Amino acid sequence: QVQFVESGGGLVQPGGSLRLSCAASGSMFSIYAMGWYRQAPGKQRELVAAITSGGNTNYVDSVKGRFTISRDNLKNTVYLQMSSLKPEDTAVYFCNANPPSMGWGQGTQVTVSS
């Protein structure tokens, strides 16, 4: 069973940038399509960025052009580079397989506020 540890969140002003990291345990990481998900207060968790095992990416419309997902299979890590952040990006961010098929980590809080 793969487990995930997310990091890199924090408080940032509108227009700022953050880079999230997700370290995955287990030897089968490279075969999984992965995703970054977020959950804002009072809202359902949503998939915001996805990457296949081969590196193809896809994004929800609200983050296209601002977020970039990438992966390093040698490090068992998936990243989310976020720029031009907006207050509506405030949420707890999680990673998981896509579709999510494993236990959820603790997530990392991203707060965009002046």
Side-chain angles (χ1 to χ4, degrees):
Q1 181 79 357
V2 178
Q3 295 181 320
F4 305 108
V5 178
E6 300 91 348
S7 62
L11 172 64
V12 62
Q13 292 186 342
S17 299
L18 283 174
R19 188 193 194 205
L20 307 183
S21 298
C22 170
S25 66
S27 59
M28 302 296 288
F29 170 80
S30 63
I31 72 171
Y32 291 103
M34 293 294 298
W36 277 98
Y37 304 77
R38 68 185 179 188
Q39 187 166 20
K43 295 187 176 181
Q44 289 191 332
R45 193 170 298 178
E46 64 169 342
L47 175 67
V48 297
I51 186 167
T52 67
S53 58
N56 293 317
T57 60
N58 200 11
Y59 302 90
V60 68
D61 285 346
S62 60
V63 308
K64 280 181 180 178
R66 300 188 299 120
F67 289 12
T68 301
I69 188 172
S70 61
R71 67 190 298 164
D72 185 336
N73 289 335
L74 293 179
K75 295 183 178 180
N76 277 15
T77 302
V78 61
Y79 304 97
L80 186 68
Q81 178 68 47
M82 306 186 296
S83 60
S84 301
L85 282 161
K86 304 175 181 180
E88 51 264 42
D89 295 318
T90 295
V92 180
Y93 284 72
F94 303 86
C95 69
N96 206 315
N98 180 32
S101 57
M102 306 179 193
W104 295 95
Q106 295 296 309
T108 185
Q109 175 71 49
V110 172
T111 303
V112 185
S113 175
S114 55

